[in-house]
Amino acid sequence: MPETEAALRTLAHNVRAARTRAGLSLDELGRRAKVSKGALVGLEKAQGNPNFATLVRLADTLGVSVSALMEGSLEQRVRMVSADAVTPLWKGEHGSEARLMLTTGGPAATEVWRWTLEPGEEYPSHPHQTGVTETVSVTAGDMVLVVDGTEYAVTAGQTATFDADTTHTYRGTGTQTCHLIMTVHLPPGPA
């Protein structure tokens, strides 16, 4: 539990700092991100358990990456991250999961994700802010990428990229687990 409590304290600090930098009240951030004021108050007090969709909406609204809300200060020149050391931010009912491995620094950050999708399981994503681009590279198995209602088969060895400011869904297909690396390229914005 100490790791969870420390992560919640870091998240609380980072959300409050990003909200303050953006000049937003709790009411205005809640309205824009579609998160209740009560949930935001709890979050900024390091209470509660925000889900993946809430973290994405807050990050998009604040113009920062999800990991910028979750990570402590970056002091190392080289960061190494092991997948088993990162808690999944999403878990499907049949074993699928998504892990945010790291986010690069700089004015236009890139998030690096590891996903597994079980056959028939899917994750529907809401549209991101304008300027966000996603790239999906399948390393094993098969998936369907649905962007704005159109389906695209992506198989092992293939990479797809798209503007993520529209509805999109990741769906495992075939008979084996789909493994993929997803990168989310964020537009330049507040630090």
Side-chain angles (χ1 to χ4, degrees), residues 102-139:
L102 60 84
T103 300
T104 62
T110 299
E111 297 176 348
V112 179
W113 292 80
R114 283 179 163 254
W115 284 72
T116 59
L117 291 170
E118 295 301 326
E121 192 156 40
E122 66 180 35
Y123 178 81
S125 180
H126 74 284
H128 298 292
Q129 65 179 319
T130 301
V132 173
T133 303
E134 291 190 14
T135 302
V136 179
S137 297
V138 175
T139 59

PDB file of all heavy atoms in Angstrom, residues 102-139:
ATOM      1  N   LEU A 102       6.423   5.000 -20.247  1.00  0.00           N
ATOM      2  CA  LEU A 102       7.094   6.259 -19.947  1.00  0.00           C
ATOM      3  C   LEU A 102       6.626   7.330 -20.908  1.00  0.00           C
ATOM      4  O   LEU A 102       5.974   7.049 -21.897  1.00  0.00           O
ATOM      5  CB  LEU A 102       8.616   6.121 -19.994  1.00  0.00           C
ATOM      6  CG  LEU A 102       9.278   5.672 -21.299  1.00  0.00           C
ATOM      7  CD1 LEU A 102       9.508   6.830 -22.246  1.00  0.00           C
ATOM      8  CD2 LEU A 102      10.604   5.011 -20.976  1.00  0.00           C
ATOM      9  N   THR A 103       6.986   8.553 -20.595  1.00  0.00           N
ATOM     10  CA  THR A 103       6.716   9.691 -21.466  1.00  0.00           C
ATOM     11  C   THR A 103       8.016  10.451 -21.663  1.00  0.00           C
ATOM     12  O   THR A 103       8.742  10.717 -20.699  1.00  0.00           O
ATOM     13  CB  THR A 103       5.660  10.625 -20.849  1.00  0.00           C
ATOM     14  OG1 THR A 103       4.460   9.881 -20.654  1.00  0.00           O
ATOM     15  CG2 THR A 103       5.378  11.817 -21.745  1.00  0.00           C
ATOM     16  N   THR A 104       8.300  10.775 -22.909  1.00  0.00           N
ATOM     17  CA  THR A 104       9.501  11.559 -23.191  1.00  0.00           C
ATOM     18  C   THR A 104       9.257  12.996 -22.766  1.00  0.00           C
ATOM     19  O   THR A 104       8.117  13.454 -22.696  1.00  0.00           O
ATOM     20  CB  THR A 104       9.850  11.532 -24.690  1.00  0.00           C
ATOM     21  OG1 THR A 104       8.785  12.131 -25.425  1.00  0.00           O
ATOM     22  CG2 THR A 104      10.097  10.114 -25.177  1.00  0.00           C
ATOM     23  N   GLY A 105      10.319  13.716 -22.485  1.00  0.00           N
ATOM     24  CA  GLY A 105      10.209  15.113 -22.092  1.00  0.00           C
ATOM     25  C   GLY A 105      10.173  16.036 -23.294  1.00  0.00           C
ATOM     26  O   GLY A 105      10.070  15.598 -24.436  1.00  0.00           O
ATOM     27  N   GLY A 106      10.250  17.299 -23.014  1.00  0.00           N
ATOM     28  CA  GLY A 106      10.281  18.287 -24.078  1.00  0.00           C
ATOM     29  C   GLY A 106       8.925  18.911 -24.326  1.00  0.00           C
ATOM     30  O   GLY A 106       7.925  18.514 -23.745  1.00  0.00           O
ATOM     31  N   PRO A 107       8.882  19.885 -25.215  1.00  0.00           N
ATOM     32  CA  PRO A 107       7.634  20.611 -25.454  1.00  0.00           C
ATOM     33  C   PRO A 107       6.558  19.778 -26.148  1.00  0.00           C
ATOM     34  O   PRO A 107       5.384  20.069 -26.035  1.00  0.00           O
ATOM     35  CB  PRO A 107       8.068  21.779 -26.338  1.00  0.00           C
ATOM     36  CG  PRO A 107       9.345  21.346 -26.961  1.00  0.00           C
ATOM     37  CD  PRO A 107       9.996  20.412 -25.983  1.00  0.00           C
ATOM     38  N   ALA A 108       6.937  18.756 -26.895  1.00  0.00           N
ATOM     39  CA  ALA A 108       5.975  17.862 -27.558  1.00  0.00           C
ATOM     40  C   ALA A 108       6.288  16.435 -27.111  1.00  0.00           C
ATOM     41  O   ALA A 108       7.026  15.712 -27.757  1.00  0.00           O
ATOM     42  CB  ALA A 108       6.067  18.001 -29.072  1.00  0.00           C
ATOM     43  N   ALA A 109       5.708  16.039 -26.001  1.00  0.00           N
ATOM     44  CA  ALA A 109       6.015  14.750 -25.383  1.00  0.00           C
ATOM     45  C   ALA A 109       5.415  13.591 -26.174  1.00  0.00           C
ATOM     46  O   ALA A 109       4.465  13.762 -26.933  1.00  0.00           O
ATOM     47  CB  ALA A 109       5.477  14.725 -23.958  1.00  0.00           C
ATOM     48  N   THR A 110       5.992  12.408 -25.985  1.00  0.00           N
ATOM     49  CA  THR A 110       5.472  11.167 -26.563  1.00  0.00           C
ATOM     50  C   THR A 110       5.317  10.150 -25.441  1.00  0.00           C
ATOM     51  O   THR A 110       6.247   9.908 -24.681  1.00  0.00           O
ATOM     52  CB  THR A 110       6.434  10.612 -27.637  1.00  0.00           C
ATOM     53  OG1 THR A 110       6.566  11.571 -28.687  1.00  0.00           O
ATOM     54  CG2 THR A 110       5.924   9.306 -28.205  1.00  0.00           C
ATOM     55  N   GLU A 111       4.118   9.576 -25.345  1.00  0.00           N
ATOM     56  CA  GLU A 111       3.871   8.498 -24.392  1.00  0.00           C
ATOM     57  C   GLU A 111       4.148   7.176 -25.087  1.00  0.00           C
ATOM     58  O   GLU A 111       3.785   6.990 -26.243  1.00  0.00           O
ATOM     59  CB  GLU A 111       2.418   8.513 -23.922  1.00  0.00           C
ATOM     60  CG  GLU A 111       2.024   9.749 -23.170  1.00  0.00           C
ATOM     61  CD  GLU A 111       0.548   9.766 -22.806  1.00  0.00           C
ATOM     62  OE1 GLU A 111      -0.230   8.940 -23.321  1.00  0.00           O
ATOM     63  OE2 GLU A 111       0.181  10.624 -21.995  1.00  0.00           O
ATOM     64  N   VAL A 112       4.763   6.243 -24.367  1.00  0.00           N
ATOM     65  CA  VAL A 112       5.036   4.906 -24.891  1.00  0.00           C
ATOM     66  C   VAL A 112       4.248   3.910 -24.049  1.00  0.00           C
ATOM     67  O   VAL A 112       4.430   3.842 -22.831  1.00  0.00           O
ATOM     68  CB  VAL A 112       6.546   4.572 -24.858  1.00  0.00           C
ATOM     69  CG1 VAL A 112       6.791   3.167 -25.386  1.00  0.00           C
ATOM     70  CG2 VAL A 112       7.343   5.610 -25.648  1.00  0.00           C
ATOM     71  N   TRP A 113       3.372   3.147 -24.711  1.00  0.00           N
ATOM     72  CA  TRP A 113       2.476   2.200 -24.059  1.00  0.00           C
ATOM     73  C   TRP A 113       2.753   0.793 -24.536  1.00  0.00           C
ATOM     74  O   TRP A 113       3.090   0.589 -25.697  1.00  0.00           O
ATOM     75  CB  TRP A 113       1.026   2.516 -24.420  1.00  0.00           C
ATOM     76  CG  TRP A 113       0.489   3.796 -23.877  1.00  0.00           C
ATOM     77  CD1 TRP A 113       0.693   5.050 -24.379  1.00  0.00           C
ATOM     78  CD2 TRP A 113      -0.364   3.948 -22.756  1.00  0.00           C
ATOM     79  NE1 TRP A 113       0.021   5.966 -23.632  1.00  0.00           N
ATOM     80  CE2 TRP A 113      -0.643   5.319 -22.627  1.00  0.00           C
ATOM     81  CE3 TRP A 113      -0.921   3.048 -21.850  1.00  0.00           C
ATOM     82  CZ2 TRP A 113      -1.458   5.812 -21.619  1.00  0.00           C
ATOM     83  CZ3 TRP A 113      -1.732   3.548 -20.852  1.00  0.00           C
ATOM     84  CH2 TRP A 113      -1.993   4.916 -20.741  1.00  0.00           C
ATOM     85  N   ARG A 114       2.548  -0.206 -23.658  1.00  0.00           N
ATOM     86  CA  ARG A 114       2.539  -1.627 -24.012  1.00  0.00           C
ATOM     87  C   ARG A 114       1.123  -2.124 -23.789  1.00  0.00           C
ATOM     88  O   ARG A 114       0.557  -1.936 -22.711  1.00  0.00           O
ATOM     89  CB  ARG A 114       3.480  -2.436 -23.119  1.00  0.00           C
ATOM     90  CG  ARG A 114       4.918  -2.297 -23.459  1.00  0.00           C
ATOM     91  CD  ARG A 114       5.736  -3.142 -22.473  1.00  0.00           C
ATOM     92  NE  ARG A 114       7.042  -3.345 -23.017  1.00  0.00           N
ATOM     93  CZ  ARG A 114       7.469  -4.481 -23.530  1.00  0.00           C
ATOM     94  NH1 ARG A 114       6.722  -5.537 -23.534  1.00  0.00           N
ATOM     95  NH2 ARG A 114       8.674  -4.576 -24.018  1.00  0.00           N
ATOM     96  N   TRP A 115       0.573  -2.748 -24.813  1.00  0.00           N
ATOM     97  CA  TRP A 115      -0.792  -3.271 -24.747  1.00  0.00           C
ATOM     98  C   TRP A 115      -0.791  -4.760 -25.041  1.00  0.00           C
ATOM     99  O   TRP A 115       0.019  -5.228 -25.845  1.00  0.00           O
ATOM    100  CB  TRP A 115      -1.675  -2.620 -25.816  1.00  0.00           C
ATOM    101  CG  TRP A 115      -2.119  -1.228 -25.542  1.00  0.00           C
ATOM    102  CD1 TRP A 115      -1.356  -0.104 -25.583  1.00  0.00           C
ATOM    103  CD2 TRP A 115      -3.434  -0.795 -25.236  1.00  0.00           C
ATOM    104  NE1 TRP A 115      -2.115   0.996 -25.310  1.00  0.00           N
ATOM    105  CE2 TRP A 115      -3.405   0.602 -25.105  1.00  0.00           C
ATOM    106  CE3 TRP A 115      -4.642  -1.467 -25.066  1.00  0.00           C
ATOM    107  CZ2 TRP A 115      -4.537   1.339 -24.792  1.00  0.00           C
ATOM    108  CZ3 TRP A 115      -5.775  -0.718 -24.779  1.00  0.00           C
ATOM    109  CH2 TRP A 115      -5.711   0.675 -24.637  1.00  0.00           C
ATOM    110  N   THR A 116      -1.716  -5.465 -24.413  1.00  0.00           N
ATOM    111  CA  THR A 116      -2.095  -6.812 -24.846  1.00  0.00           C
ATOM    112  C   THR A 116      -3.600  -6.792 -25.024  1.00  0.00           C
ATOM    113  O   THR A 116      -4.325  -6.199 -24.213  1.00  0.00           O
ATOM    114  CB  THR A 116      -1.701  -7.915 -23.841  1.00  0.00           C
ATOM    115  OG1 THR A 116      -2.318  -7.652 -22.585  1.00  0.00           O
ATOM    116  CG2 THR A 116      -0.186  -8.007 -23.682  1.00  0.00           C
ATOM    117  N   LEU A 117      -4.058  -7.391 -26.124  1.00  0.00           N
ATOM    118  CA  LEU A 117      -5.486  -7.485 -26.409  1.00  0.00           C
ATOM    119  C   LEU A 117      -5.836  -8.949 -26.634  1.00  0.00           C
ATOM    120  O   LEU A 117      -5.261  -9.587 -27.526  1.00  0.00           O
ATOM    121  CB  LEU A 117      -5.848  -6.682 -27.663  1.00  0.00           C
ATOM    122  CG  LEU A 117      -5.765  -5.162 -27.561  1.00  0.00           C
ATOM    123  CD1 LEU A 117      -5.906  -4.535 -28.940  1.00  0.00           C
ATOM    124  CD2 LEU A 117      -6.850  -4.641 -26.624  1.00  0.00           C
ATOM    125  N   GLU A 118      -6.730  -9.455 -25.855  1.00  0.00           N
ATOM    126  CA  GLU A 118      -7.193 -10.825 -26.035  1.00  0.00           C
ATOM    127  C   GLU A 118      -8.197 -10.851 -27.181  1.00  0.00           C
ATOM    128  O   GLU A 118      -8.881  -9.853 -27.439  1.00  0.00           O
ATOM    129  CB  GLU A 118      -7.813 -11.355 -24.748  1.00  0.00           C
ATOM    130  CG  GLU A 118      -6.833 -11.485 -23.602  1.00  0.00           C
ATOM    131  CD  GLU A 118      -5.667 -12.410 -23.896  1.00  0.00           C
ATOM    132  OE1 GLU A 118      -5.858 -13.412 -24.612  1.00  0.00           O
ATOM    133  OE2 GLU A 118      -4.545 -12.128 -23.415  1.00  0.00           O
ATOM    134  N   PRO A 119      -8.300 -11.973 -27.902  1.00  0.00           N
ATOM    135  CA  PRO A 119      -9.257 -12.069 -29.003  1.00  0.00           C
ATOM    136  C   PRO A 119     -10.669 -11.686 -28.556  1.00  0.00           C
ATOM    137  O   PRO A 119     -11.150 -12.166 -27.530  1.00  0.00           O
ATOM    138  CB  PRO A 119      -9.185 -13.533 -29.420  1.00  0.00           C
ATOM    139  CG  PRO A 119      -7.802 -13.963 -29.025  1.00  0.00           C
ATOM    140  CD  PRO A 119      -7.532 -13.211 -27.744  1.00  0.00           C
ATOM    141  N   GLY A 120     -11.285 -10.783 -29.301  1.00  0.00           N
ATOM    142  CA  GLY A 120     -12.650 -10.350 -29.018  1.00  0.00           C
ATOM    143  C   GLY A 120     -12.772  -9.240 -27.996  1.00  0.00           C
ATOM    144  O   GLY A 120     -13.840  -8.652 -27.841  1.00  0.00           O
ATOM    145  N   GLU A 121     -11.706  -8.915 -27.287  1.00  0.00           N
ATOM    146  CA  GLU A 121     -11.777  -7.849 -26.287  1.00  0.00           C
ATOM    147  C   GLU A 121     -11.375  -6.529 -26.928  1.00  0.00           C
ATOM    148  O   GLU A 121     -10.510  -6.481 -27.795  1.00  0.00           O
ATOM    149  CB  GLU A 121     -10.873  -8.177 -25.100  1.00  0.00           C
ATOM    150  CG  GLU A 121     -11.125  -7.278 -23.918  1.00  0.00           C
ATOM    151  CD  GLU A 121     -10.699  -7.910 -22.609  1.00  0.00           C
ATOM    152  OE1 GLU A 121      -9.652  -8.561 -22.559  1.00  0.00           O
ATOM    153  OE2 GLU A 121     -11.444  -7.738 -21.633  1.00  0.00           O
ATOM    154  N   GLU A 122     -12.019  -5.436 -26.474  1.00  0.00           N
ATOM    155  CA  GLU A 122     -11.711  -4.146 -27.073  1.00  0.00           C
ATOM    156  C   GLU A 122     -11.675  -3.039 -26.038  1.00  0.00           C
ATOM    157  O   GLU A 122     -12.226  -3.171 -24.941  1.00  0.00           O
ATOM    158  CB  GLU A 122     -12.710  -3.810 -28.176  1.00  0.00           C
ATOM    159  CG  GLU A 122     -14.133  -3.572 -27.719  1.00  0.00           C
ATOM    160  CD  GLU A 122     -15.047  -3.239 -28.884  1.00  0.00           C
ATOM    161  OE1 GLU A 122     -14.859  -3.769 -29.995  1.00  0.00           O
ATOM    162  OE2 GLU A 122     -15.973  -2.443 -28.662  1.00  0.00           O
ATOM    163  N   TYR A 123     -11.000  -1.965 -26.426  1.00  0.00           N
ATOM    164  CA  TYR A 123     -10.961  -0.756 -25.607  1.00  0.00           C
ATOM    165  C   TYR A 123     -11.397   0.417 -26.482  1.00  0.00           C
ATOM    166  O   TYR A 123     -10.686   0.790 -27.419  1.00  0.00           O
ATOM    167  CB  TYR A 123      -9.551  -0.493 -25.052  1.00  0.00           C
ATOM    168  CG  TYR A 123      -9.529   0.786 -24.244  1.00  0.00           C
ATOM    169  CD1 TYR A 123      -9.967   0.799 -22.928  1.00  0.00           C
ATOM    170  CD2 TYR A 123      -9.139   1.985 -24.822  1.00  0.00           C
ATOM    171  CE1 TYR A 123      -9.999   1.980 -22.201  1.00  0.00           C
ATOM    172  CE2 TYR A 123      -9.169   3.163 -24.096  1.00  0.00           C
ATOM    173  CZ  TYR A 123      -9.600   3.159 -22.788  1.00  0.00           C
ATOM    174  OH  TYR A 123      -9.649   4.321 -22.080  1.00  0.00           O
ATOM    175  N   PRO A 124     -12.572   1.000 -26.191  1.00  0.00           N
ATOM    176  CA  PRO A 124     -13.000   2.188 -26.935  1.00  0.00           C
ATOM    177  C   PRO A 124     -12.425   3.442 -26.271  1.00  0.00           C
ATOM    178  O   PRO A 124     -12.516   3.600 -25.053  1.00  0.00           O
ATOM    179  CB  PRO A 124     -14.520   2.143 -26.812  1.00  0.00           C
ATOM    180  CG  PRO A 124     -14.782   1.407 -25.530  1.00  0.00           C
ATOM    181  CD  PRO A 124     -13.608   0.469 -25.329  1.00  0.00           C
ATOM    182  N   SER A 125     -11.823   4.321 -27.055  1.00  0.00           N
ATOM    183  CA  SER A 125     -11.212   5.539 -26.528  1.00  0.00           C
ATOM    184  C   SER A 125     -12.000   6.752 -26.988  1.00  0.00           C
ATOM    185  O   SER A 125     -12.464   6.809 -28.133  1.00  0.00           O
ATOM    186  CB  SER A 125      -9.764   5.653 -27.013  1.00  0.00           C
ATOM    187  OG  SER A 125      -9.174   6.829 -26.502  1.00  0.00           O
ATOM    188  N   HIS A 126     -12.119   7.713 -26.109  1.00  0.00           N
ATOM    189  CA  HIS A 126     -12.756   8.964 -26.512  1.00  0.00           C
ATOM    190  C   HIS A 126     -11.770   9.782 -27.352  1.00  0.00           C
ATOM    191  O   HIS A 126     -10.558   9.518 -27.314  1.00  0.00           O
ATOM    192  CB  HIS A 126     -13.201   9.751 -25.275  1.00  0.00           C
ATOM    193  CG  HIS A 126     -12.067  10.384 -24.528  1.00  0.00           C
ATOM    194  ND1 HIS A 126     -11.212   9.662 -23.721  1.00  0.00           N
ATOM    195  CD2 HIS A 126     -11.630  11.654 -24.508  1.00  0.00           C
ATOM    196  CE1 HIS A 126     -10.301  10.485 -23.217  1.00  0.00           C
ATOM    197  NE2 HIS A 126     -10.536  11.697 -23.679  1.00  0.00           N
ATOM    198  N   PRO A 127     -12.252  10.759 -28.092  1.00  0.00           N
ATOM    199  CA  PRO A 127     -11.335  11.599 -28.867  1.00  0.00           C
ATOM    200  C   PRO A 127     -10.385  12.383 -27.947  1.00  0.00           C
ATOM    201  O   PRO A 127     -10.783  12.840 -26.884  1.00  0.00           O
ATOM    202  CB  PRO A 127     -12.265  12.559 -29.611  1.00  0.00           C
ATOM    203  CG  PRO A 127     -13.592  11.889 -29.610  1.00  0.00           C
ATOM    204  CD  PRO A 127     -13.653  11.087 -28.339  1.00  0.00           C
ATOM    205  N   HIS A 128      -9.141  12.529 -28.382  1.00  0.00           N
ATOM    206  CA  HIS A 128      -8.168  13.335 -27.649  1.00  0.00           C
ATOM    207  C   HIS A 128      -8.207  14.768 -28.167  1.00  0.00           C
ATOM    208  O   HIS A 128      -8.903  15.076 -29.136  1.00  0.00           O
ATOM    209  CB  HIS A 128      -6.757  12.755 -27.827  1.00  0.00           C
ATOM    210  CG  HIS A 128      -6.615  11.369 -27.287  1.00  0.00           C
ATOM    211  ND1 HIS A 128      -6.669  11.078 -25.945  1.00  0.00           N
ATOM    212  CD2 HIS A 128      -6.444  10.183 -27.908  1.00  0.00           C
ATOM    213  CE1 HIS A 128      -6.517   9.782 -25.766  1.00  0.00           C
ATOM    214  NE2 HIS A 128      -6.384   9.200 -26.946  1.00  0.00           N
ATOM    215  N   GLN A 129      -7.399  15.626 -27.563  1.00  0.00           N
ATOM    216  CA  GLN A 129      -7.342  17.011 -28.020  1.00  0.00           C
ATOM    217  C   GLN A 129      -6.787  17.078 -29.446  1.00  0.00           C
ATOM    218  O   GLN A 129      -6.072  16.172 -29.886  1.00  0.00           O
ATOM    219  CB  GLN A 129      -6.492  17.845 -27.067  1.00  0.00           C
ATOM    220  CG  GLN A 129      -5.014  17.428 -27.032  1.00  0.00           C
ATOM    221  CD  GLN A 129      -4.182  18.273 -26.096  1.00  0.00           C
ATOM    222  OE1 GLN A 129      -4.358  19.475 -26.045  1.00  0.00           O
ATOM    223  NE2 GLN A 129      -3.269  17.644 -25.379  1.00  0.00           N
ATOM    224  N   THR A 130      -7.114  18.128 -30.153  1.00  0.00           N
ATOM    225  CA  THR A 130      -6.621  18.332 -31.509  1.00  0.00           C
ATOM    226  C   THR A 130      -5.097  18.341 -31.494  1.00  0.00           C
ATOM    227  O   THR A 130      -4.476  18.927 -30.612  1.00  0.00           O
ATOM    228  CB  THR A 130      -7.152  19.665 -32.072  1.00  0.00           C
ATOM    229  OG1 THR A 130      -8.581  19.608 -32.062  1.00  0.00           O
ATOM    230  CG2 THR A 130      -6.657  19.904 -33.483  1.00  0.00           C
ATOM    231  N   GLY A 131      -4.495  17.660 -32.466  1.00  0.00           N
ATOM    232  CA  GLY A 131      -3.041  17.616 -32.569  1.00  0.00           C
ATOM    233  C   GLY A 131      -2.416  16.352 -32.013  1.00  0.00           C
ATOM    234  O   GLY A 131      -1.227  16.103 -32.215  1.00  0.00           O
ATOM    235  N   VAL A 132      -3.199  15.528 -31.303  1.00  0.00           N
ATOM    236  CA  VAL A 132      -2.673  14.269 -30.768  1.00  0.00           C
ATOM    237  C   VAL A 132      -2.686  13.233 -31.891  1.00  0.00           C
ATOM    238  O   VAL A 132      -3.690  13.047 -32.569  1.00  0.00           O
ATOM    239  CB  VAL A 132      -3.496  13.757 -29.567  1.00  0.00           C
ATOM    240  CG1 VAL A 132      -3.044  12.359 -29.146  1.00  0.00           C
ATOM    241  CG2 VAL A 132      -3.375  14.722 -28.395  1.00  0.00           C
ATOM    242  N   THR A 133      -1.559  12.550 -32.084  1.00  0.00           N
ATOM    243  CA  THR A 133      -1.438  11.479 -33.073  1.00  0.00           C
ATOM    244  C   THR A 133      -1.059  10.203 -32.337  1.00  0.00           C
ATOM    245  O   THR A 133      -0.239  10.230 -31.424  1.00  0.00           O
ATOM    246  CB  THR A 133      -0.337  11.812 -34.106  1.00  0.00           C
ATOM    247  OG1 THR A 133      -0.646  13.056 -34.718  1.00  0.00           O
ATOM    248  CG2 THR A 133      -0.227  10.741 -35.168  1.00  0.00           C
ATOM    249  N   GLU A 134      -1.659   9.086 -32.726  1.00  0.00           N
ATOM    250  CA  GLU A 134      -1.307   7.794 -32.148  1.00  0.00           C
ATOM    251  C   GLU A 134      -0.709   6.907 -33.231  1.00  0.00           C
ATOM    252  O   GLU A 134      -1.109   6.972 -34.392  1.00  0.00           O
ATOM    253  CB  GLU A 134      -2.532   7.105 -31.534  1.00  0.00           C
ATOM    254  CG  GLU A 134      -3.027   7.809 -30.296  1.00  0.00           C
ATOM    255  CD  GLU A 134      -4.080   7.039 -29.535  1.00  0.00           C
ATOM    256  OE1 GLU A 134      -4.265   5.828 -29.791  1.00  0.00           O
ATOM    257  OE2 GLU A 134      -4.724   7.642 -28.666  1.00  0.00           O
ATOM    258  N   THR A 135       0.256   6.097 -32.818  1.00  0.00           N
ATOM    259  CA  THR A 135       0.874   5.097 -33.689  1.00  0.00           C
ATOM    260  C   THR A 135       0.783   3.762 -32.979  1.00  0.00           C
ATOM    261  O   THR A 135       1.106   3.666 -31.795  1.00  0.00           O
ATOM    262  CB  THR A 135       2.347   5.457 -33.981  1.00  0.00           C
ATOM    263  OG1 THR A 135       2.387   6.748 -34.585  1.00  0.00           O
ATOM    264  CG2 THR A 135       2.985   4.446 -34.897  1.00  0.00           C
ATOM    265  N   VAL A 136       0.325   2.736 -33.704  1.00  0.00           N
ATOM    266  CA  VAL A 136       0.161   1.397 -33.154  1.00  0.00           C
ATOM    267  C   VAL A 136       1.029   0.441 -33.964  1.00  0.00           C
ATOM    268  O   VAL A 136       0.876   0.341 -35.177  1.00  0.00           O
ATOM    269  CB  VAL A 136      -1.317   0.952 -33.225  1.00  0.00           C
ATOM    270  CG1 VAL A 136      -1.486  -0.442 -32.681  1.00  0.00           C
ATOM    271  CG2 VAL A 136      -2.204   1.933 -32.487  1.00  0.00           C
ATOM    272  N   SER A 137       1.957  -0.253 -33.281  1.00  0.00           N
ATOM    273  CA  SER A 137       2.818  -1.251 -33.925  1.00  0.00           C
ATOM    274  C   SER A 137       2.541  -2.608 -33.302  1.00  0.00           C
ATOM    275  O   SER A 137       2.813  -2.827 -32.115  1.00  0.00           O
ATOM    276  CB  SER A 137       4.297  -0.895 -33.739  1.00  0.00           C
ATOM    277  OG  SER A 137       4.600   0.328 -34.375  1.00  0.00           O
ATOM    278  N   VAL A 138       1.996  -3.521 -34.104  1.00  0.00           N
ATOM    279  CA  VAL A 138       1.654  -4.853 -33.614  1.00  0.00           C
ATOM    280  C   VAL A 138       2.900  -5.736 -33.719  1.00  0.00           C
ATOM    281  O   VAL A 138       3.492  -5.864 -34.790  1.00  0.00           O
ATOM    282  CB  VAL A 138       0.474  -5.451 -34.419  1.00  0.00           C
ATOM    283  CG1 VAL A 138       0.205  -6.889 -33.984  1.00  0.00           C
ATOM    284  CG2 VAL A 138      -0.768  -4.594 -34.245  1.00  0.00           C
ATOM    285  N   THR A 139       3.299  -6.338 -32.589  1.00  0.00           N
ATOM    286  CA  THR A 139       4.482  -7.202 -32.573  1.00  0.00           C
ATOM    287  C   THR A 139       4.121  -8.681 -32.619  1.00  0.00           C
ATOM    288  O   THR A 139       4.946  -9.504 -32.994  1.00  0.00           O
ATOM    289  CB  THR A 139       5.355  -6.909 -31.333  1.00  0.00           C
ATOM    290  OG1 THR A 139       4.571  -7.134 -30.152  1.00  0.00           O
ATOM    291  CG2 THR A 139       5.864  -5.472 -31.352  1.00  0.00           C
TER     292      THR A 139
END
